[in-house]
Amino acid sequence: MSSFTSCFYRRRKFQPISTTTNMKKYDVYLSFCDEDPDFFVLGIYKGLTSGSGINVFWDNKRIKRGDQEVPTSVLNVIGDCKLVVIVFSTNYFNSRWCLQELEKITECCRTTDSRLMLLTFSFFYNGVHLVLGYPDTDFFEREAFHDFLDRIYKKEISQQGDKFMSWVAAISHNKAITYAGSTYLGHVFTNRIEREHIENVVELATRVITEKRDMFNVFYTESLNSRVQDVTQLLKQSKSPLILGIWGMPGIGKSTIAKAIYGQVGSYFRHKCLIENVKRSVQNKTYTLVSLQEKIILDMAREPENDISTIVSGKVILKERLHSKRVLLVLDDVDNLEQLHALCGSREWFGEGSKIIITTTNRQLLKEHGADHIYRVKELDENESLELFNWKAFSQATSQEGFAELSRQVVAYSGGLPLALTDLGIHFNSETVDIWECKLHNFTRHFYNGVQGTLESSFNDLNDEEKQVFFDIAYFYIGIDQHDVVQSLNSSTHCTNLLISLLEDKSFVTIDENNKIQMHVLLQATAEAIITRESSNKTDQPKMYDVFLSFRGEDSRAKFMSHLHSSLQNAGIDTFRDDDEIQRGDQISISLLKTIGQSRISIVVLSKNYANSRWCMLELEKIMKIGRDRGLVVVPVFYEVDPSDVRHQKGQFGKGFDDLTSKISVHESTKTRWQRDLYEICGIAGFVLIDSRNESADIKNIVEHVTRLLDRTQLFVAEHPVGVESRVEAVTKLLNIQKAEDVLLLGIWGMGGTGKTTIAKSIYNKVGRKFEGRSFLLGIREFWETHTNQVSLQQQVLCDVYKTTALKIRDIESGKNILKEKLSKNRVLFVLDDVDELDQLKALCGNREWFGPGSRIIITTRDMDLLRSCGVDQVYTIEEMDESESLELFSWHAFKQPSPTEDYATHSADVIAYSGKLPLALEVLGSYLSNCEITEWQKVLEKLKCIPHDQVQKKLKVSFDGLKDFTEKQIFLDISCFFIGMDKKDVTAILNGCGFFADIGIKVLVERALLTVDNRNKLRMHDLLRDMGRQIIYEESPSDPEKRSRLWRCDEVQDILSRDKGTEAVKGLALEFPRKDCLETKAFKKMNKLRLLRLAGVKLEGDFKYLSGDLRWLYWHGFPETYTPAEFQQGSLVAIELKYSKLNKIWNTSQMLENLKNLNLSHSLDLAETPNFSYLPNLEKLVLKDCPSLSTVSHSIGSLHKLLMLNLTDCTGLQTLPRSIYKLKSLETLILSGCSKIDKLEEDLEQMESLITLIADKTGITKVPFSIVRLKSIGYISLSGFEGFSRDVFPSLIRSWMSPSNNVISLVQTSVSMSSLGTSKDLQKLRIICAKCDSELQLTRDIARFLEVLKATNCQNLEASASSTASEISDMHASPVSDCIGHFRNLGSKNHLKSLLIQMGTKCQISNVAEDSVLQTADGTWDLFLLGCDNKSDWLTFSCKGCSIIFDVPTMKGSYLKSMMLYIVYYSCLENITSEGFQEHNLKSRTW
């Protein structure tokens, strides 16, 4: 299908056509001029009628009769069709027949039931062109067409209205369909091209007919289409020049409606003009009013006008040129009368039938200009909003799976505003569910700024009085009766009624049918954002007041409030008290709200009638909001009222609240907010003064409390605290502040630059006021290093907590005693930042006995061992930032906005990848790049990869410098250059061979957050830490690489080796796939201290004696020789890795390598023999994977008394194993998978007393030695692959495992004896059995027998019955599990059966059981989990009291059960767990 058709369907939306009545007789009617495209139309006809089953009307009489009348019978057929295909061609409008058809088509379009609406497709053939989707003047400006229009116009004109406009509306309603589906077929040069066009038309028409779909352009959503039709109906109502205004708030879709109308009906006006964004064009001086006048004349008359010199002369010329013409003029976004007077003067300017459409946010302009109709654009309803949003977010009319509820939340947030829906749709497009949830959460806290600029632009056009009233309404009067609002505001604002009316005209407020004032939710948010921004700007300035007093004057003013206010003032506390409350009644000013934001503390005196005052409740709402958002300290005072009455609005306090909410008709949302605030303030520690006998003492306590609070300085957290909040919440939970009786120590641990201090500061600010005293010691490590007066830190703690300098400390030891004595009496919050030595903790926080009950001590450090040493209760490991957090933080510093500009998006992603999401790096690099041009970014990134940024480097290097041991630093540098991603155990062996005590050193690096070990035991390091380590090496000799201790950069290494520049300074070298793959061994001559050598794709020529005798690690990928040269000194090597080598044998002459622990020759395809292992006495790991030429293993392998692992995977040429291999008592892992010629294991296997893991999948083994069950340490066995094993060996293995003293062979051949299956002691060692079976027969026999053994083995503790047949298993529709696995009962033994997991399914897949899937309880409750591994059932959890469980097996109709997993968990006593540990047995058997 050609691009036209596919594009068409991408752009359209389809809906079903109702066919309940008036079934159409014909499917398609073809309208065409037979003088032009005869072959083309005939091709369409044949294509539609042949094979598609489409009924097409065709009249042979019309051929060559262009000037004849169309018979009525033919015209009537048009109304009987579902679809009309119109082929506009050069002579179409010269044909009388065609014009009559078109008139009938338009009549049908206008009069047909909308549910059965006639569809039209228009195609423009051979010379009829399209411009921007609409036919241009080459067609619609032709005289023939306009003569046709004139006839229609004269025919339709009447006194009742503009019938011509009705005709235009009818045809143009379909025109939205027509032109969206139209195509320009152009000049047809070849039959092939014409055939392609015919196929397109046929396919398009066929799809529409068969699918019975109504087609609309996606831009014409249902909501837009509805509004366009509403406006079009208004345009019909007069034949005189008609002025119509489209009015509504910014972003409501006024311009979209106007443009849609212009697009639909514009082609039917010979003279038309659309001027977009009049307001912005004039304000930005893109156009003047004179130039806009010239544009109108140019568009209308098709010729430039050079005589307009002033606006006045332009008016004259416009009137002169247009007064006799029928015109369509659209003026978009007009904002003052001058613009209207200049561009559309009055009706007299235009001829009969003219239409002038004006869009504006100001209804008053339209009234003053004398608009005939004013159409108010309302918000979209929920369904309309969802449709528009979905198109933008998902490019379809419905939400994608998993996003429906989130989409509804976005729609609710947008309030039905099309601009917001469009912008949010684009904003959320292609994002994941997690990102949606995160952004929506942010929107609830911070106004989305995507539409704020548009709304604020209109706000800025208001005068100061209008702005003030707008703020007042937005904050306090939404949902309030207009009369009450006017009465309330009149006391402070003149002409309130007029101002509200002006705001309504300017689309800022609406008055509903109940005379209540309403405001769009995003306008409310805009008002709040503006106030918040202005308040925030002032928070950077000194606070105006220390305390803001909120109180109900009639309750407490006379005595208590006066006394409290004077006491605060006398204490030097600057206190704000609003003395205007009595005069102002219920009105509260914006300036008063700003005062709250400019205060440090608010004392709220809650009295009996407090909640009966709108003033007080509005104050409280603002106080609590600022408290939540910006940390205003709130101190409640319950004056002669019970806190419970306040919390739940009971008693006299509750009556006052109810009276207020009913008296002023408070909106339900406002009432809910007030109730929440009253509830929350009761949860804040304060003062309860009921029947107090000593009011002076009470006031003194309040003043002292406030004095302490004012001394607690808030710490600066971060300029852009991205991601801080979620981490603070996580740490706060660990602090468990509600538990007041204990002292808790918490560590915050992570590498440098991850934000430990930032999080600690934020926690300090957030929870600090809940403690009696608090102190934050910042940067202890640096202070300890640079200051000798360490006593001053102890002094600072006392000063912070007790606000006094009277206590003097002489020395560290006396300071410890003073701190312990003082701090133990109070509940304190103590933060020690960046601690790196235990002595620091001993001097400053001793132990938990130093602190009073409920105290919390937070320690930030890079050293996990330090936290263990001081016995912290909890450790919070800093979470890595995710992608969106990283991008936002970087963007704030680089672009001063939460996301990158479009041009920088790719480069920003590169920076984030480089930074490894490290907050420090993101901030530093963002600031560094903020002033760089885009061309510089790539260069900067390339530089950073070679030379890290000094600020980041300095911060990270602190951890490296803190390593006290030389060997620890060497280990870090070696790993950063060579060992990232390698197995920890292998690296440890290599570095131990270098004398570095790596077991301890790697542990230290992990604890200092310089290194991590993943779940596969691989070493990992943050990219910036890696770069920091390499930069340290680079700085050893910046100009001379050969003088550095480690070399890893390919170009530098190749240069050094090519030019024989090596020195003894080089300890490690890596070179992978160089440009020159052949180098001289002599280049290594001077590198006599070389310990580590990593090569890949390298060939060395020359004498190997030049390689260092100190080598501990040789890694050579693709070793090119057939054996290692004899002169190569290998005596010091700890690890040899020669993977993908050309080796035939590793040594021609054996060498004694006493230090070698790891030998890996994997993927050496030509390796034919193994070495004499007696020369490798200390070998621990031997890996010979994928060595297909290897046929035997040297019998000397039995001499490897320290071998721990042997891996012979895919050694397909290996036929047998030497008997001596079974003497390997130290061997823990044996892997034989893929050794297809090995057909048995010997009974001697039981001699491998240390064997834990045996994997022999896909081998030739058909017999397993039953001695395997006597292995003392075995934990994992996998023997998958060949038929026979599953039926014969598998059952015996299970039984033997559980009862190793039995004659296992007889158990296969005879029935199971209940008395011969051993004791429960054997079963107690079993923890997990995981069985995989393929065949129904195997399942029914093996599993049922196993369960019988299970029952018999533990007969003293379990009562069971097992019976299962093939028919029962294969037809599991309603069979209870008791029929299959029996009935278990707990009789109270030490090892009771606590949980049972059974897995059944048809795909032979047994899932890993997560540790937390089986929850054990101490009361003997049984838990059972059932999982269908074929994804046909969910996890089902069953729980009951007592001694048994019965449950139904899920229905599996149409499927055969092929696998079952039993998961049995025992509750063991502590002695058993300690002595036996955890044993897991996993047996796999598959029949292929």
Side-chain angles (χ1 to χ4, degrees), residues 877-896:
T877 302
I878 295 292
E879 296 178 9
E880 183 183 78
M881 299 188 91
D882 62 28
E883 290 288 345
S884 62
E885 289 173 332
S886 302
L887 184 60
E888 182 180 353
L889 179 59
F890 174 75
S891 297
W892 276 119
H893 288 273
F895 309 107
K896 313 306 179 192

Side-chain angles (χ1 to χ4, degrees), residues 999-1040:
D999 305 82
I1000 299 171
I1002 290 177
K1003 179 174 179 288
V1004 170
L1005 295 181
V1006 172
E1007 290 172 345
R1008 298 290 180 94
L1010 288 168
L1011 189 66
T1012 59
V1013 182
D1014 67 16
N1015 55 8
R1016 298 176 59 201
N1017 208 40
K1018 306 293 185 183
L1019 298 180
R1020 302 295 178 191
M1021 184 180 290
H1022 193 282
D1023 289 351
L1024 293 181
L1025 285 172
R1026 176 203 64 201
D1027 293 348
M1028 180 267 289
R1030 295 181 177 184
Q1031 181 65 12
I1032 291 171
I1033 297 166
Y1034 172 82
E1035 290 172 358
E1036 292 173 352
S1037 178
S1039 301
D1040 300 311

Side-chain angles (χ1 to χ4, degrees), residues 1459-1473:
S1459 64
M1460 176 183 289
M1461 182 172 75
L1462 300 133
Y1463 189 90
I1464 305 167
V1465 178
Y1466 294 88
Y1467 178 81
S1468 300
C1469 61
L1470 182 61
E1471 301 79 39
N1472 287 341
I1473 294 174

Side-chain angles (χ1 to χ4, degrees), residues 1088-1216:
N1088 50 20
K1089 299 293 180 65
L1090 189 66
R1091 297 183 285 105
L1092 311 171
L1093 180 59
R1094 181 186 184 100
L1095 303 174
V1098 176
K1099 183 176 182 180
L1100 294 181
E1101 292 184 348
D1103 198 331
F1104 273 70
K1105 69 180 182 181
Y1106 295 117
L1107 291 181
S1108 170
D1110 284 347
L1111 270 182
R1112 300 301 195 273
W1113 176 55
L1114 173 63
Y1115 177 98
W1116 197 331
H1117 184 285
F1119 181 72
E1121 308 295 336
T1122 56
Y1123 59 88
T1124 57
E1127 65 272 16
F1128 180 18
Q1129 306 172 54
Q1130 304 176 47
S1132 299
L1133 280 169
V1134 175
I1136 298 176
E1137 298 180 61
L1138 303 179
K1139 296 188 285 187
Y1140 297 93
S1141 72
K1142 299 293 185 181
L1143 289 171
N1144 179 264
K1145 54 183 177 180
I1146 186 169
W1147 295 291
N1148 210 9
T1149 303
S1150 297
Q1151 300 183 39
M1152 177 60 70
L1153 304 182
E1154 294 185 346
N1155 295 309
L1156 190 64
K1157 295 188 175 183
N1158 184 349
L1159 178 60
N1160 189 338
L1161 306 178
S1162 296
H1163 311 291
S1164 297
L1165 304 183
D1166 298 325
L1167 186 69
E1169 61 180 76
T1170 60
N1172 185 337
F1173 292 110
S1174 60
Y1175 288 88
L1176 312 175
N1178 295 307
L1179 193 65
E1180 296 178 356
K1181 182 176 181 180
L1182 176 60
V1183 182
L1184 301 174
K1185 292 172 58 176
D1186 187 25
C1187 295
S1189 299
L1190 187 65
S1191 58
T1192 60
V1193 175
S1194 172
H1195 66 88
S1196 61
I1197 195 170
S1199 64
L1200 297 178
H1201 302 302
K1202 297 182 180 180
L1203 191 65
L1204 302 175
M1205 178 189 183
L1206 174 59
N1207 188 342
L1208 297 171
T1209 299
D1210 292 332
C1211 289
T1212 54
L1214 193 60
Q1215 298 185 11
T1216 59

